[in-house]
Structures are given as C-alpha cells and as structure tokens.
Amino acid sequence: MAIQNKAAANKNLDSIRKTIANHKRHDFIFASLGTLVIASLTITLLILFLDLVIDGYPRFNLDFFSNFPSRRAARAGILSAWIGSSLVLLVTFFVAVPLGITSGVYLEEYAKKNWFSDLIEINVSNLAGVPSIIYGLLALGLFVYSFGLGQSILTAGLTLALLMLPIVIVSTREAIRAIPVHIREAAYAVGATKWQVCHNHVIPYSYGGILTGVIIGMARAIGETAPVITIGALTFIAFLPPSPIGLEPPFINFEWLESGFTVLPIQMFNWISRPQLAFHINAAATGAVIIMLTLLMNGLAIKLRYNIRKKIKW
Amino acid sequence: MVKKHNEIIKAESKDLSFFYADKTQALKKVSLPVYENKITALIGPSGCGKSTFLRCFNRMHDLYAGNRYDGKIILQPDNTDILLENVDPIEVRMRISMVFQKPNPFPKSIYENVAYGLRVRGESNKRTLDEKVEEALKGASLWSEVKDRLQDLAFNLSGGQQQRLCIARALATEPEIMLFDEPTSALDPIATMNIEELMSELKQKLSILIVTHNMQQAARISDYTAYMYLGELVEFDGTNQIFTNPSKKETEDYITGKFG
Amino acid sequence: MNPENDLIISQRLAKNFQRNFRERLIEFGLLCSGLIAIFITLAIVYVLVSEAIPFFQYVSIIDFLTDTVWTPNYSIKHYGILPLISGTLTTTGIALIVAVPLGTITAIYLSEFASHKVREIIKPILELLVGVPTVVFGYFALMLVTPMLQKIYPDLTTFNMLGPGIVMGIMIVPYIASVAEDSMRAVPMSMREGAYAMGATRFQTAIRVITPAAISGIVAAYILAISRAVGETMIVAIAAGQQPNFTFNPVESAATITSYIVSVALGDLEHGGIGYQSIFAAGLTLLIMTLLINILGHAVRKKYAERY
C-alpha cells in the first residue's frame, strides 16, 4: 500500500516536473525569439548603412562634394545640395529653436491649467502626428503663394521649422519639468521675478534636454524630403545661392533666403528616379552622407540624454 | 489671547487664515507677533500648518494658483499689510528672505549663488558685488572655508556648507526678517550646531522666524515659541515659559511627549 | 492703533510699475509663441479647405468618393480617390503585418525578459532606427528588398507595393515597440509578483497577465503605427511606382495619397489649376484619415490611463 502510494506520488511529481520543463522551454523559446527579432532589426540597420556605403563607394572623393549635379553621373556631385541643406537648416534652426523654447516655457511656467492650456496641449500633440507632407501642402499654399515667398530657401527653412517645432516644444517641456520646485522657490525667495526665474534658472538648467530635442529635430529636418518636394523645390540646381557673408560692408546679406535651392534628400531622390544605374551610385553615396549625418546626430542626442540622466543630482 | 511682551514688534499676523487651492483650510485665524532681534520658533506636529504659516510671510503661496489668504500680516515700520493685492510680493521677498528645509543652492558657482539676490535687484557693479558677497559669506561663517574657491560649483560643498551658503544667499540682500523652514532637518549634528550658533549671531541684526520639528532646537535657540496644532495657534509665549510652565494642557502634552 | 493705517501701502512695498510692465510684456510675447501650435493647426485646416473648396465645386463629392479612376493630369479626367486609398491601405496593411508581430515581440522582450543592461543597449538602437530618413528607406526598398523578393517571386515588377510595405513595416517597428513597452512597464509590479507567486513562468506572466493588462496601451501603439504608415511618403513614392491603380494586390504597382501629392509636386504645377487643387483635396482626405486615427488612439489611451 505504502509502496503503491509512493509510486503514485512519484508519478505525479514526474508529470509536474515535465510541465515545468515544458514551461521553461516556452520561456527559452520566447527569449530566443525576442533576441532574434532584435538582432535582425539591428542587422537591418547595419545592412541599410553598409549597402549605401558599398553602393556609393565609387563616389567617395572630394569631387563629389565640390561638383554640381551633372548629366554625366560620374561627374555629378552634391555641392549645391549640401550647401542648400546647410542654409535651409540655418533658417530652420533660427526659427524653430527660439519659438519652440519660448512656447515650451510659456506652457510649463506661465499657462494656467485650464481648458485653454488643454487646447494648446492637444494641438501640440496632434501636430506631432500630422504627416510631414501636410506641412508641405501648408507651405505651398501659405508661404509659396499667399506670402509670395516662392520656392526659396526661406520657404523650405520655415516649412521644416514647423515640422521641428513640436519636437523642440516637447523636449523643452520635459526638461523644464525635471527641474525641482525648490530651485524655483529659492530664486523667488530672494526676490526674482517670474521672467528672471525663467531666464536665469529654468532655461539654463534645461539646456541639455532642450539641446537633445534640437539635435533630434535637426536630424529629422536633414532627412525630410516630402514637404520640401511639395513646395516645388527644383531638382536640378547647378548654381549656388548668393553667399550669406560678403567681403564688403555690411558683410552679411540675406539675398540667399530668396534663392532657389536643392537639398541632399531631394538630390538623392532625383538620382534614384533616373533609370541609369550610374546615377543610382550617386544616390547611394548621397544616402550614405545623409544617414551618416543623421546617425551621428541621433547618437549624439542619445549620448547627451544619457549623460544628463547620470549627472543630475538635485 | 496673545500675551503682551515687552518687545518691539517687527511683523505681526492678525487673524490669518489660509486656504489651499483644493479649499482645505490650513490656517485658522492665527495672530502672532514676530519681535525685533528675537528668534521666534514655531513647533507642532507635522501637518499643523507651521510651514504654511511661515510661507505666508514672503507670499510664497502666490506662486501656485488658487491659494487664498485671509487676514493680515502687518510689517513694521511700514505699518502695511503685506498680503494686500497692491503690495508687490517681490518687494516683500526682498525684505523678508527665506532658508529652506533642504539646502537648495542653484547649480551655479558659490559666488553667483550669493550674488544672485543682488543681481535681480539690478546690481552689476563688480566691486559692490564682491564686497557684499564677502560680507554675506562672513555673516554665514562660510567665508574662511570658501574664499579660495568662490568659482567652484555650489554642489561640491557639503550639506552643512550648502545650507550656510543658502543663508549667505538670503543674507546678501540685507533682509529685515529671515524665515527658516526646518533648516537643519537634512543635516548632521555638527552642521546643525553650526547653523544654530549662526542663527544666534544673526539675531543681532534681524528678526528670525523658524519652523522646527525638533523641540530641543526650539528650546536651545529661540526667545519665543509658538505651539500650533491643526492650523490653530494653541499657545505663544517666552520659550522658557512654554517649556517650563505652559499654560495650556495641549502644549504641555506635546512638550512632554505625551502626544505628537 | 488706527486700523485705517493698515490700508496705506508704504512706498517701499508698492508695486514697481516699470518692473511689472516689463514682466507683462514678456508674458505677452511668450503667450504669442505659446499660441503658435494653434496658429499652425488653423493654418493647415484653412489652406487645405480653401484650396479644396474650388476642387469640390468642380468635382462632386460623390464622384470623388466612388469613382475608381484617378487621372486628374490626363486628357480624360477622373477624380476618384479610391485608387489612392486602396494604395494607402494596402501598403499600410503590409506594413502592419510586418510591424505588429515584430514590434509586439520586441516590446514584450524588452519589458519582461531583457535585463536592465540589455535594455540600455537596445533602446538606443531602436531610436537610431527611428532616425533613419525615409528617403533612405525608399532606396532600401527599391534597390535591395524588391530585388530580393524578385528572387523568390520572379514575376514581381520593379515597382510594387510589397517591397515598400515591408520596409515601411520595419520603419514602424520602433514606434510600436517603444509605446507598447511603456504601457507594459506601467503594469504594477504587484501583478507580476502575483503571477510568479502562483508558479507562472516569465512567458506565461507576459502573455496571460501583462499583455491583457496593458492591452489598451498596446492597441494605442498599433494605432500610432497606422497613422505613421498612412502618412509615410517617400518609401512608396520611390518604390511603389506612383501609378494610381485601384487594387489591393500587393504585387502590383500603385500610388498612395502621399505619393500622388509628391508626383504632382514634381511636375509643373499650374497655380490655381485643377491639378494643383487636387493635391489639396487629396491632402485633406489624408488629414481627415490621420485625424480620425489619432482620435481613436487618444480614446484608447484615455481608457488605459484610467486603469491604474
């Protein structure tokens, strides 16, 4: 009897052990699956990058950066595109950064919490979800035709600034929220006004977080193609905009703002759209330049955010 | 009723009530004098409203929407109710400064921390700033420790030094009253002793109102003590009187540890 | 003491007019830039609607919504949005088939299986993937993915919806992964402990406890992904062929709403012409679609916010 019981118990125990082993196998299978998925995503990113670098390799020389686009693929370069991208981003930076920071400061430090601030809040988050091509249509209708700015660097810069704005606003607000209340109170307690608190404390201390958002926004602006195409940016530009810096007083001029232009992603798109394979090499080389710039900037932003998180010790 | 003492009144709350935005009443008709060149301590169990009371004196509650004061705080020699709508809270804070529970220096240099109060007043003369910063740091007995590293980040100081830096920051603008909100609760015993000594020196120049959790501290440093409970002032008298012969049963219970 | 004295404010405590004026001025300036978001929204709606109105005076809304041919730039003009919508839905569908399983697995893995250290390495990689410009993804679809697919399925044309759809799926994996992971990590630790205490394995806890608890957050992540895919432009413009084609067959070439706008913008636009207006009508359709999707997402997320 006792022996029988023991055998039954053993049998029972065996089946439990089996179930546990089964379940453990599920754990293992899923963990492997997850690792596999993540590994393949990483590899995809790597392939993407290497594919562009390998395909574009024949074009990696100084001429590629100092030549205008040309009908002959081997002689075509991205001079007008990288200068155009730089100038457009300059406009974007000087519009989006001040507007985004002041907007974020207003929403965090000044706006009273009521239906109106809720309305602004909903607007900001919705704008972040609007497809970028819609911004292109907005710019086409508003900047190009209503304001008569034409298909200029200024128009493109403003368009990308609108796209970047929600990113700057959100990162500014997050950075401001991380500043503890007692730092603000310390400043108020010695008689600072609200603006002095913002200007001397809140903004400087959220500098790192804002910078992270600005870099991510700029990286996105570099690669943005659809809205810039939509405003009707020309794709064959074999000239440079007037130089922003002159040799004669007043040294700085703003004629370049009204100039036609092309940017790196449009140049790349233009070359992909050609049937000749030789141009695809140019496209790959341009893509490699763009992706290197964006990976570098995003990497910098990630590093920066990591450092801030580690450094803060309020 | 508050007993009359033979002192000069520097500021005085009259029937001061206070309501937070969620309508909770944190103070109920508190009338309490702050005497010139004396240390007045506020004691009571947590949540009794002593910090809320303290923060009325520099209108700190104005920073948050929906808070409401009722009653008066008369500041002398102006004989003005500083809670009036037309009184500028910034002017009030320039004359009544505050030291907080946790040391809260700005993430700036030691020098800039002390100079900040002067800078917001528009002082930009380097010579004047240097003089006043030195004076304030000496006043907070921190000068000898930091005089060679004024440009160092304030966060690099020890907790006790940081709190003395905050005192120097509050002193630099030559306030008439200083509010201390449990200034030593985050500090070790030696740093606490330093701050207590410092407060006794400071009262030669100004009036002090201090909130403390620590009854021994109130007994050691204050000239007058107020016991608060549930937003009401239970008893106010000379510190000696309160700790040796309180007139209210509740005060005695709290002092002797029967309660709280 | 004379009580009336209390009402007199000493000069030293009175409001500093100059300082207060300056503060108000600054606040007004900040308010103006705070309102920028509302201005932009209004401007988007105004521009799209005001350009679409003349279009809809010319083309009836019923034709617009039911005609299955879209040829505004040919001599025989048809203005049926359906081919563009079919293209948009097909590419989005393919993208979701790729991204939903991959994104969900990544989210569960990161939230329930990966150690803190692994997470610290993987999340930045996902962020880098988000940062890749879409024009580069387009190149990837056309030059690498489609040729690979052609090896498996030789009849596949150079321009098709399958390749760009798959690449779009890879592009939106990080969005799903990060939003879904956030909602899973928001599930209280006590629920996990409860499951483990009953002898559940990690996998059982993740599937039977965490996923159902975080389901609305996960659904919100899918909705965000749909909204991204619907609005994505360059991948399809490069690799799907820009040919309006009323089909749901992934191996055929097609145009989406977005790629149509791009293809018109690339040509010579006659300002005020019907072709010009047609891209605003298409844009308005796209905006309404994404708006509806976003509203749905908000609703789901709101429900999820009430859970804990």
Side-chain angles (χ1 to χ4, degrees):
Chain A
M1 189 73 184
I3 293 168
Q4 243 177 5
N5 258 351
K6 208 176 174 190
N10 267 345
K11 208 178 160 194
N12 209 2
L13 208 63
D14 274 353
S15 81
I16 288 175
R17 280 201 182 119
K18 218 175 254 169
T19 323
I20 290 175
N22 236 339
H23 288 164
K24 284 221 164 129
R25 196 166 327 122
H26 287 161
D27 266 17
F28 178 76
I29 291 170
F30 188 84
S32 318
L33 188 66
T35 316
L36 192 74
V37 167
I38 285 161
S40 49
L41 283 175
T42 314
I43 290 168
T44 309
L45 184 65
L46 217 64
I47 290 177
L48 200 77
F49 182 67
L50 289 179
D51 182 45
L52 289 171
V53 172
I54 293 165
D55 285 0
Y57 182 74
R59 297 288 182 270
F60 286 138
N61 50 48
L62 269 181
D63 283 351
F64 188 64
F65 292 91
S66 60
N67 281 356
F68 285 111
S70 153
R71 266 172 211 87
R72 270 178 293 166
R75 278 186 47 193
I78 55 168
L79 177 66
S80 48
W82 72 258
I83 288 183
S85 272
S86 314
L87 292 176
V88 167
L89 285 181
L90 198 67
V91 176
T92 302
F93 180 87
F94 280 108
V95 174
V97 173
L99 257 182
I101 293 176
T102 48
S103 187
V105 168
Y106 178 79
L107 293 176
E108 268 321 297
E109 296 288 312
Y110 282 82
K112 296 194 176 64
K113 298 281 168 271
N114 54 23
W115 64 270
F116 188 66
S117 61
D118 285 349
L119 183 72
I120 299 180
E121 195 117 342
I122 292 167
N123 260 289
V124 172
S125 62
N126 270 342
L127 283 182
V130 169
S132 62
I133 195 152
I134 300 284
Y135 286 95
L137 289 174
L138 166 66
L140 181 64
L142 200 66
F143 300 148
V144 176
Y145 291 114
S146 296
F147 295 174
L149 300 177
Q151 288 140 355
S152 59
I153 289 179
L154 181 60
T155 301
L158 290 174
T159 312
L160 295 182
L162 296 187
L163 259 164
M164 187 176 153
L165 208 54
I167 302 174
V168 180
I169 294 177
V170 169
S171 63
T172 302
R173 297 186 64 181
E174 275 172 9
I176 289 178
R177 256 181 250 148
I179 298 171
V181 174
H182 60 73
I183 291 283
R184 285 185 189 83
E185 288 190 346
Y188 280 118
V190 291
T193 64
K194 195 161 202 160
W195 174 241
Q196 282 167 333
V197 171
C198 291
H199 178 248
N200 302 335
H201 302 281
V202 170
I203 298 174
Y205 306 157
S206 40
Y207 176 74
I210 296 175
L211 190 63
T212 312
V214 168
I215 295 172
I216 289 173
M218 294 292 276
R220 195 172 150 201
I222 286 184
E224 252 329 321
T225 323
V228 193
I229 291 178
T230 310
I231 61 174
L234 297 174
T235 46
F236 189 84
I237 295 275
F239 60 85
L240 290 183
S243 167
I245 301 155
L247 289 173
E248 286 160 35
F251 301 111
I252 295 173
N253 73 66
F254 290 101
E255 278 168 51
W256 56 275
L257 285 173
E258 294 159 28
S259 168
F261 67 100
T262 188
V263 290
L264 287 167
I266 289 191
Q267 189 62 67
M268 176 179 178
F269 176 63
N270 177 266
W271 278 328
I272 302 176
S273 311
R274 305 274 185 103
Q276 303 95 322
L277 273 176
F279 280 110
H280 292 174
I281 300 175
N282 294 26
T286 316
V289 173
I290 298 172
I291 203 171
M292 264 191 253
L293 281 173
T294 52
L295 287 185
L296 269 178
M297 289 171 79
N298 280 304
L300 186 68
I302 292 166
K303 180 94 179 73
L304 203 65
R305 189 168 36 200
Y306 182 76
N307 284 354
I308 295 167
R309 223 185 293 154
K310 260 181 75 179
K311 215 175 65 185
I312 281 182
K313 46 171 183 182
W314 297 109
Chain B
M1 217 30 241
V2 172
K3 210 158 63 179
K4 284 259 188 299
H5 299 96
N6 193 16
E7 303 280 2
I8 304 162
I9 292 176
K10 178 63 201 169
E12 184 175 20
S13 76
K14 289 184 170 174
D15 289 336
L16 180 65
S17 295
F18 180 79
F19 304 85
Y20 280 109
D22 60 4
K23 304 274 188 293
T24 50
Q25 184 169 5
L27 295 176
K28 292 168 192 161
K29 292 191 178 273
V30 176
S31 298
L32 185 78
V34 175
Y35 295 129
E36 195 150 302
N37 299 108
K38 296 288 175 233
I39 297 179
T40 306
L42 295 165
I43 59 170
S46 23
C48 71
K50 50 196 194 308
S51 281
T52 306
F53 180 73
L54 189 82
R55 289 161 66 92
C56 290
F57 277 77
N58 65 348
R59 295 202 28 191
M60 220 50 180
H61 298 297
D62 286 30
L63 301 180
Y64 309 97
N67 293 340
R68 191 166 62 83
Y69 310 92
D70 196 25
K72 294 172 184 172
I73 295 177
I74 311 291
L75 180 66
Q76 303 295 356
D78 308 68
N79 196 27
T80 298
D81 173 10
I82 57 171
L83 297 178
L84 285 177
E85 186 73 23
N86 286 325
V87 166
D88 199 332
I90 288 163
E91 299 293 343
V92 173
R93 291 176 199 141
M94 286 180 171
R95 291 173 56 187
I96 303 179
S97 63
M98 181 162 180
V99 175
F100 296 79
Q101 189 169 358
K102 247 181 76 188
N104 56 354
F106 304 127
K108 294 177 186 280
S109 70
I110 293 169
Y111 182 94
E112 281 307 320
N113 261 284
V114 183
Y116 187 67
L118 302 161
R119 289 203 191 275
V120 296
R121 284 160 179 71
E123 184 61 72
S124 57
N125 184 308
K126 179 88 175 78
R127 195 83 128 318
T128 322
L129 284 175
D130 285 352
E131 273 170 24
K132 297 223 170 175
V133 167
E134 180 174 342
E135 202 180 307
L137 283 169
K138 279 179 178 159
S141 49
L142 191 61
W143 175 252
S144 57
E145 291 160 64
V146 301
K147 64 170 188 278
D148 301 320
R149 47 173 183 146
L150 289 175
Q151 297 310 321
D152 265 21
L153 210 58
F155 282 165
N156 295 335
L157 298 174
S158 73
Q161 287 174 322
Q162 285 188 17
Q163 194 61 305
R164 274 181 284 150
L165 180 68
C166 292
I167 294 174
R169 178 173 70 192
L171 267 181
T173 53
E174 291 162 13
E176 296 158 32
I177 301 178
M178 259 174 105
L179 311 170
F180 286 85
D181 190 357
E182 300 186 31
T184 60
S185 64
L187 303 180
D188 62 60
I190 293 177
T192 301
M193 201 182 71
N194 284 335
I195 303 259
E196 286 179 5
E197 271 173 21
L198 183 55
M199 275 191 270
S200 306
E201 279 168 38
L202 287 176
K203 76 172 182 186
Q204 315 297 328
K205 285 184 283 186
L206 42 79
S207 319
I208 290 176
L209 187 59
I210 173 174
V211 165
T212 178
H213 243 66
N214 178 335
M215 268 182 288
Q216 283 74 28
Q217 181 169 62
R220 276 197 299 270
I221 59 167
S222 71
D223 304 293
Y224 289 88
T225 298
Y227 171 59
M228 287 177 74
Y229 181 61
L230 291 178
E232 283 179 85
L233 177 66
V234 177
E235 188 171 357
F236 170 71
D237 211 330
T239 299
N240 243 334
Q241 192 69 24
I242 290 270
F243 281 92
T244 53
N245 189 17
S247 57
K248 293 261 173 65
K249 178 86 173 51
E250 298 102 297
T251 315
E252 193 180 343
D253 286 351
Y254 183 69
I255 303 279
T256 53
K258 281 193 194 132
F259 163 77
Chain C
M1 219 194 283
N2 182 356
E4 276 166 41
N5 272 352
D6 295 352
L7 294 172
I8 299 165
I9 293 169
S10 91
Q11 271 311 302
R12 289 176 62 203
L13 289 167
K15 294 244 183 211
N16 178 329
F17 175 76
Q18 202 189 337
R19 186 175 61 211
N20 272 294
F21 181 72
R22 212 175 124 247
E23 284 289 311
R24 285 285 146 78
L25 208 64
I26 290 168
E27 182 167 352
F28 179 74
L30 290 172
L31 170 70
C32 289
S33 67
L35 290 177
I36 190 84
I38 293 180
F39 284 139
I40 298 173
T41 307
L42 289 178
I44 288 175
V45 173
Y46 170 77
V47 167
L48 292 183
V49 169
S50 70
E51 297 285 354
I53 284 174
F55 177 84
F56 285 117
Q57 279 166 352
Y58 183 75
V59 180
S60 85
I61 289 202
I62 295 167
D63 279 354
F64 182 71
L65 293 177
T66 56
D67 196 341
T68 55
V69 182
W70 177 263
T71 51
N73 302 306
Y74 293 156
S75 44
I76 305 163
K77 295 183 191 303
H78 282 276
Y79 301 97
I81 193 82
L82 285 178
L84 300 185
I85 290 186
S86 74
T88 304
L89 292 183
T90 310
T91 46
T92 302
I94 298 165
L96 287 179
I97 291 171
V98 174
V100 164
L102 292 186
T104 313
I105 290 171
T106 309
I108 294 175
Y109 180 78
L110 284 179
S111 158
E112 304 301 316
F113 284 80
S115 66
H116 177 73
K117 221 172 175 181
V118 172
R119 211 169 14 234
E120 289 285 296
I121 297 167
I122 290 165
K123 294 203 91 175
I125 293 175
L126 292 179
E127 275 178 72
L128 286 182
L129 207 55
V130 171
V132 174
T134 55
V135 67
V136 171
F137 274 123
Y139 178 91
F140 190 56
L142 181 69
M143 309 299 284
L144 211 72
V145 175
T146 295
M148 265 161 60
L149 291 171
Q150 279 169 331
K151 279 185 189 139
I152 305 164
Y153 182 75
D155 289 346
L156 194 68
T157 51
T158 312
F159 296 109
N160 59 73
M161 293 191 276
L162 191 58
I166 291 171
V167 173
M168 218 151 84
I170 295 170
M171 183 191 89
I172 58 182
V173 166
Y175 291 101
I176 294 184
S178 95
V179 177
E181 192 223 336
D182 284 347
S183 74
M184 286 179 186
R185 301 197 75 190
V187 174
M189 210 56 208
S190 57
M191 287 183 76
R192 279 185 196 94
E193 284 162 1
Y196 288 138
M198 289 173 63
T201 59
R202 267 174 196 271
F203 182 68
Q204 285 171 323
T205 310
I207 298 297
R208 303 232 181 107
V209 179
I210 305 299
T211 310
I215 192 70
S216 24
I218 298 171
V219 173
Y222 298 159
I223 293 171
L224 171 76
I226 297 174
S227 148
R228 289 278 152 192
V230 165
E232 173 43 41
T233 311
M234 292 318 292
I235 300 176
V236 276
I238 290 171
Q242 300 181 9
Q243 282 301 321
N245 199 349
F246 184 55
T247 176
F248 291 96
N249 185 351
V251 299
E252 287 187 55
S253 76
T256 60
I257 300 177
T258 52
S259 73
Y260 169 71
I261 296 171
V262 163
S263 68
V264 171
L266 283 171
D268 274 331
L269 274 179
E270 185 206 341
H271 174 52
I274 190 79
Y276 175 82
Q277 285 156 359
S278 74
I279 59 174
F280 288 92
L284 188 61
T285 313
L286 177 66
L287 184 69
I288 291 170
M289 280 171 73
T290 47
L291 202 66
L292 290 177
I293 296 167
N294 286 346
I295 288 171
L296 187 66
H298 273 299
V300 172
R301 215 172 298 185
K302 203 164 188 187
K303 207 176 137 202
Y304 139 74
E306 286 162 3
R307 290 284 289 268
Y308 311 114

